Amino acid sequence: MIAVSACLIGDSVRYDGSHKLNDELRQLVQEDKAIALCPEVLGGLSAPRPPAEIVGGDGFDVWEGHAKVIATTGEDVTEAFKQGALETLALLEVHQCTAVILKSKSPSCGTFEIYDGTFSGELKSGMGVCAALLMRHGIVIVNELNWKEKLDLSLI
Ligand code: SF4
């Protein structure tokens, strides 16, 4: 079993209330080959919600206390992001998922680049808060762009 970011299967859970439907990934869930989850919603945040970015580092830095997740409103949403990541990890363990297909560039799900914390649209290298936690726990991390190339499809 694997898991997929919920916005990729058409759930309207993105910050602006939209989704990023990928038909192939939705089919995996429909065929019970994957579960879908949204770390930010699991952390108690609503959809829609103010956009947020990691300031001062990436997801690993958030877990080490060196960076924060800040919304455009100025609200510090770090704890909600961390809680959502922990809930995601718990769900993956319950469902015995060893790999996840995450939405690229997100402050939670971003796999190798994220927005740089200035809300200017610029990217920086690094992982999102949830992706970093999952990687630390040995989960295989891929995204919606590279999963066919990078993922051992026998895991599905
Ligand atoms: Fe939720 Fe991750 Fe999609 Fe953001 S990228 S809406 S946190 S599933």
Side-chain angles (χ1 to χ4, degrees), residues 112-129:
F112 65 91
E113 60 182 359
I114 52 176
Y115 289 104
D116 73 355
T118 64
F119 297 99
S120 62
E122 295 296 316
L123 295 164
K124 63 184 175 186
S125 295
M127 301 187 84
V129 175

Side-chain angles (χ1 to χ4, degrees), residues 3-23:
V4 182
S5 290
C7 57
L8 294 174
I9 70 146
D11 289 358
S12 299
V13 289
R14 297 185 77 224
Y15 69 93
D16 59 359
S18 71
H19 58 73
K20 286 284 187 180
L21 175 61
N22 176 306
D23 287 319

Side-chain angles (χ1 to χ4, degrees), residues 1-72:
M1 181 69 81
I2 65 164
V4 182
S5 290
C7 57
L8 294 174
I9 70 146
D11 289 358
S12 299
V13 289
R14 297 185 77 224
Y15 69 93
D16 59 359
S18 71
H19 58 73
K20 286 284 187 180
L21 175 61
N22 176 306
D23 287 319
E24 286 181 290
L25 297 180
R26 181 167 63 178
Q27 191 165 352
L28 291 180
V29 173
Q30 288 172 336
E31 293 173 353
D32 289 330
K33 294 176 178 170
I35 60 166
L37 41 79
C38 173
E40 292 174 27
V41 170
L42 286 170
L45 297 172
S46 60
R49 55 189 172 278
E53 295 189 4
I54 300 175
V55 176
D58 77 345
F60 290 107
D61 298 306
V62 168
W63 290 106
E64 286 162 16
H66 304 316
K68 292 180 178 299
V69 190
I70 304 294
T72 47

Side-chain angles (χ1 to χ4, degrees), residues 1-3 34-37 88-98:
M1 181 69 81
I2 65 164
I35 60 166
L37 41 79
T88 299
L89 178 61
L91 274 172
L92 296 192
E93 289 173 348
V94 165
H95 291 274
Q96 300 183 315
C97 296
T98 53

Side-chain angles (χ1 to χ4, degrees), residues 93-144:
E93 289 173 348
V94 165
H95 291 274
Q96 300 183 315
C97 296
T98 53
V100 286
I101 303 172
L102 295 176
K103 170 73 181 70
S104 58
K105 302 176 188 172
S106 149
S108 284
C109 294
T111 55
F112 65 91
E113 60 182 359
I114 52 176
Y115 289 104
D116 73 355
T118 64
F119 297 99
S120 62
E122 295 296 316
L123 295 164
K124 63 184 175 186
S125 295
M127 301 187 84
V129 175
C130 184
L133 180 73
L134 300 184
M135 176 163 273
R136 279 206 171 143
H137 283 78
I139 306 288
V140 174
I141 310 280
V142 294
N143 64 38
E144 80 280 19

